[in-house]
């Protein structure tokens, strides 16, 4: 049975603890957090779990096989590195690190140590990731909400990781260029609004609209394929995915006065999706990889690619908002 | 009584004819269109209006005071120029022209001829254009639908004119830079998806997402102000505008497991707006300017500014997707 | 070519005139209304139509083949009777009359005179009337809006006619009992809120909720069949009909804490429906019946049945809110 | 500190345990359920709580002050009676019992024993129960979903208890008559669709539409007051309550062709409500009543009144669907 230590009982920590706790294939041994009040909550709900404010109680515990890192993103690299060096398997909250150099160092270290390195790109474990759309021509995502400003990263690193993980999973080709534009309305200069456009050699285009400053929470992804188009609305309680028969309609504009125009060309289908928590998929995939050596869906290579694209987007934003070429050789940060 | 000749009975033409027809301050004398079947419709519904396939029947009719141009955008300039040279007042469908140089020529000609030159930026005549938001920090518009590809212009010129007219009306400062990125999925190379980011010296940022390739029709504008934020959803039948009490909320994330998070910070207010057709405002404003010399809301200067920003966006898209500086001196196309 | 005279240019009148005007199989000859300002509108838009404030200009015009009656419901019977007696075909706005006795008299008169008698149950001409639901077990309709109180009939006669025409069309069996309950909040004692429950021998149940006093407009019909269930939402701009795979789900309630329950059992399908005006179907069906002797969908027998059920509901409401038996012999009002 | 024993760890049990567990004013000592697998869940999440399949481990435990009964409704009376006779305070899931006679016996027993008797009418503890509507003229509630058929009660007892508790809380006058109509589509003859109409002397009317057979979950309450009207949509994630400025509008129907009619008369206001779990209010109110002798909002008299109205509705349904008079003397069941 896999023994788990978790560091960081903030937003994702409690969800991860609950899912590992419910899985009979592992045992959550220790939870570390610097905030004593968070540990009180752990103690109340999980009297069997040890709590500590000292990180080394996880790293130096030889009985712990795997470390789950759900701390602020700026600490992911150093904690992940330490964990791998101590011979632990590692699951890190998204995004893996805040730079490509750090991400590649973790990936190489995991290979060397022959340990599982996985990133919690939860969305890949929903039923929502589509297939059978035909050749995809665009991906357009809007993620906005109010407040919840992060202290150590801008809105790009906070919200775009979701979409880029989906893109990396969905699209087989590599990007050609990445262009980002953003603005900070706060003193710390971290952007609270960012727009990203990613172009691919085949003509596929992806666009991300990320904001911490919208009065409404929007989680809307449009994906256009040759055969079908998809609208994924994560705010909708039950009818999250709509699949549209697509193609372009030649509208009769002769007498457009009288009736409302219906731009839809065919039927809409709302598939039944299981409203099971996607995080169950993450924890199972991690435990399975540890036990059987399988390759997780949200594996280290995918996590690395996400960091690479995020880094290029950030670089574009910082360098006059010009499109960055996606080429390995040119990459040095 | 103002006598009107209208050229182009396509999509906007019938709406304009109906509104002018209903206004007792004018008389629609002639409608010109190349398609005989369109003219049949005019004859059936408005037996009192003369129809013709010859444009000069409008230009050379000395009894016609004002010409309404609702033809494809690529013909706006030549028709507008001819009308002004014949001493007619001119109302042109948005956008005014397809280049800044043409637009400025029309504006100067109208001044010289002392005629009204107005652009049909209809949206400015809705109750929806907001005020009392406090200092505005962002504007984020999504305009998507399926099909209806224009033959002579890309999606930028078709859909972004609305938002840029609102921006020009709302914001007192001039843009600093304009960045646009887009893609064409058709053989004629006209972009069907375009994203525009406009930055202003004060830190205000505007973003436009324009697409002819979405399975759903979205008409959504988010405007963030210091005091209030607005969500304008034009697809909603009656509750189009929601006004949010704003500011950023520090969320208690200690125990975020149990309840759904409400990102809204205060009450929402849905003002009653009159569902009168905005076009009535356009036709009245035009007739009033002709009769009394008043300055229309959607005046020639505003129309010119819209064309300038559209041109810079188009230029950015064509020149490697770099931000274009908004400076008059650098402008030559 | 059928020559038409229309009486009553109020709410439905203009819509009916427009549709007949657009149909080349007929000619609208005369429109009668007591309000001169309504006739001014007719003159402006349709200079070719004669207008009059004298009803006999329609009845005594031997060139007029068919009379369309879109006056207040309390006048339907006398106008319809006169028209049939003058040898005209008759299309009457819904409901046909305000009593069963009157309705049956009109039906018999039409038979005797061998003239078409048709009622404008528009909804039957939409694509929305469903089929292939399997055996139907319930029908549940809510029709509410604010204001628009009628002066001569209560909300039952104003709004329930729609649903009862659908029921009569859909269900092959006759009702067993009709129960209605309502209240008037106005001085004229006409009910502004009415609830109707209709039971059928097979166990099928229909329920209607009619109100003029709701702040929101609701037009929602739920139909439950063995194979499929349908939700028809007429307020939704484009996605009016949702078809649900049905059957009852045994929910696992063991651990209902963690995830939102999805009560839907299968996929949802949103068929593409043509947003053509249903009234076109009505006018064509009427003209076709006149020319070719065909039986209209919304024929006299169906209109009679609607009046019968409305009458029984009204009687139930007036007689202590007890269920009325649906039996011809017991019917005398 | 109040010691609590809970009987019935089904749907509401886990929610009640969690809320009492989180409240430092009490201690959950024992949970009883006949299903061992439910008790396993309790043991896993709350190792400090004793579990048992024997009810008497709660009743005969002299350290337990209060008993929470969240078992099927048909067992409420016998368990409640036993608990009160053992000198325990009692919180019962809604509805209190399945008959008025039983409910009144419990109420009297609680008085005699001087113990708190409270019913979990959760909805009364939401922010959603409105005030300042002016004189109320109607209440119209729709509660539908798919499946989840109860085994011991019909849909009336399952779903209508919510609305009747709100009505009893909101309206100061007593009902005049109660009329109900329903149908069972299952072999056990328990109604799965029920409609209830309650009339009050002042002209106030309430209507409830309860169904287990709808493909969509609807939780919609419309309340009409002289000053304001309210629409409460519990399915909406964040904007649950809309408050409408009301009154009836005289619509200009002269030219209703051209624009969509807006039936709303004034502005809409969406108040910010706290998305705190209402159940916290229930558990606190119960504990407070035990400790300080305060009168709970959802007190025994209110719970009794709810049962009385439910009983009369059920009686109406069983006795030919005639309106039942609400008069104590006539009540004997």
């Amino acid at each position: 049975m896999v023994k788990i230590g978790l560091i960081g009982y903030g937003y994702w920590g409690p969800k991860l603890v609950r899912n590992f706790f419910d899985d009979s294939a592992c045992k959550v041994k220790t939870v570390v957090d610097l905030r004593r009040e968070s540990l009180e909550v752990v103690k109340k709900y999980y009297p069997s779990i040890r709590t500590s404010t000292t990180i080394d109680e996880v790293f130096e515990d030889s009985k712990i096989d795997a470390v789950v890192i759900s701390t602020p993103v700026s600490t992911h690299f150093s904690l992940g590195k330490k964990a791998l060096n101590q011979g632990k398997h590692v699951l890190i909250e998204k995004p893996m690190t805040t730079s490509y150099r750090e991400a590649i160092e973790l990936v190489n270290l995991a290979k060397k140590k022959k340990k599982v390195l996985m990133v919690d790109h939860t969305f890949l474990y929903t039923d929502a990731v589509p297939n059978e759309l035909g050749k995809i021509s665009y991906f357009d995502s809007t993620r906005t909400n109010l407040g919840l400003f992060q202290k150590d990263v801008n809105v790009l690193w906070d919200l775009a990781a979701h979409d880029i993980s989906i893109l990396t999973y969905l699209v087989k080709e590599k990007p050609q260029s990445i262009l980002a534009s953003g603005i900070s309305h706060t003193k710390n200069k971290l952007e609270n609004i960012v727009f990203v456009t990613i172009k691919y050699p085949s003509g596929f285009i992806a666009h991300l609209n990320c904001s911490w400053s919208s009065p409404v929470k929007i989680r809307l992804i449009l994906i256009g394929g040759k055969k079908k188009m998809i609208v994924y609305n994560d705010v909708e309680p039950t009818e999250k995915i709509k699949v549209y028969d697509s193609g372009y309609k030649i509208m009769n504009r002769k007498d457009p006065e009288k009736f409302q125009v219906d731009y839809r060309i065919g039927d809409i289908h709302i598939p039944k999706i299981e409203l099971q928590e996607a995080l169950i998929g993450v924890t199972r995939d991690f435990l399975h990889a540890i036990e059987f050596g399988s390759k997780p869906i949200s594996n280290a290579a995918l996590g690395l690619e996400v960091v690479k694209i995020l880094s290029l987007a950030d670089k574009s934003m910082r360098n006059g908002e010009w499109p960055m070429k996606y080429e390995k050789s040119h990459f040095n940060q």
Side-chain angles (χ1 to χ4, degrees), chain A residues 195-262:
Chain A
F195 309 106
V196 183
T197 306
I198 311 177
K199 289 190 160 185
Y200 291 75
S202 68
F204 172 69
I205 190 166
H207 183 255
L208 321 179
N209 178 336
C210 306
S211 170
W212 286 329
S213 299
S214 162
V216 276
K217 184 177 181 180
I218 302 177
R219 293 283 183 273
L220 188 72
I221 303 176
L222 279 69
I223 306 178
K226 279 280 171 206
K227 291 190 212 152
K228 302 275 184 186
M229 292 190 187
I230 274 186
V231 176
Y232 179 80
N233 182 354
D234 202 20
V235 172
E236 182 70 32
T238 56
E239 305 178 1
K240 290 183 188 296
I241 304 181
K242 290 185 177 171
V243 182
Y244 293 73
D245 287 346
S246 66
Y248 300 124
K249 189 175 192 180
I250 309 303
M251 300 294 291
N252 179 359
R253 280 189 154 183
K254 270 185 208 161
D255 189 8
E257 287 290 279
K258 287 178 198 156
F259 308 107
Q260 196 174 0
V261 177
D262 180 6

Side-chain angles (χ1 to χ4, degrees), chain A residues 73-229:
Chain A
V73 62
S74 53
T75 66
H76 286 182
F77 172 66
S78 62
L79 293 174
K81 188 175 173 181
K82 200 157 183 184
L84 288 166
N85 275 326
Q86 293 284 346
K88 315 293 191 198
H89 303 285
V90 174
L91 172 65
I92 303 186
E93 250 317 297
K94 76 192 108 26
M96 195 203 289
T97 63
T98 56
S99 82
Y100 182 67
R101 205 160 41 185
E102 290 171 351
I104 212 158
E105 189 175 334
L106 283 193
V107 171
N108 289 334
L109 186 57
K111 264 185 210 153
K112 195 177 135 196
K113 295 284 184 178
K114 290 179 181 157
K115 294 294 162 193
V116 174
L117 171 63
M118 189 173 142
V119 184
D120 175 20
H121 288 299
T122 325
F123 202 93
L124 301 181
Y125 294 84
T126 61
D127 282 356
V129 178
N131 45 39
E132 294 176 66
L133 299 171
K135 186 166 175 285
I136 304 175
S137 60
Y138 69 86
F139 175 99
D140 187 3
S141 172
T142 306
R143 289 186 189 268
T144 74
N145 53 243
L146 189 60
L148 298 175
F149 287 70
Q150 301 288 315
K151 287 178 188 167
D152 56 346
V153 289
N154 61 26
V155 73
L156 173 74
W157 291 85
D158 184 34
L159 297 181
H162 288 287
D163 295 308
I164 297 175
S165 72
I166 301 167
L167 275 175
T168 305
Y169 181 79
L170 265 185
V171 183
K172 299 310 161 204
E173 61 182 335
K174 295 287 179 193
Q176 193 172 55
S177 66
I178 290 132
L179 171 62
S181 178
I183 201 128
S184 171
H185 291 125
T186 52
K187 285 181 188 167
N188 65 8
K189 304 290 179 197
L190 292 172
E191 286 83 0
N192 52 306
I193 296 176
V194 171
F195 309 106
V196 183
T197 306
I198 311 177
K199 289 190 160 185
Y200 291 75
S202 68
F204 172 69
I205 190 166
H207 183 255
L208 321 179
N209 178 336
C210 306
S211 170
W212 286 329
S213 299
S214 162
V216 276
K217 184 177 181 180
I218 302 177
R219 293 283 183 273
L220 188 72
I221 303 176
L222 279 69
I223 306 178
K226 279 280 171 206
K227 291 190 212 152
K228 302 275 184 186
M229 292 190 187

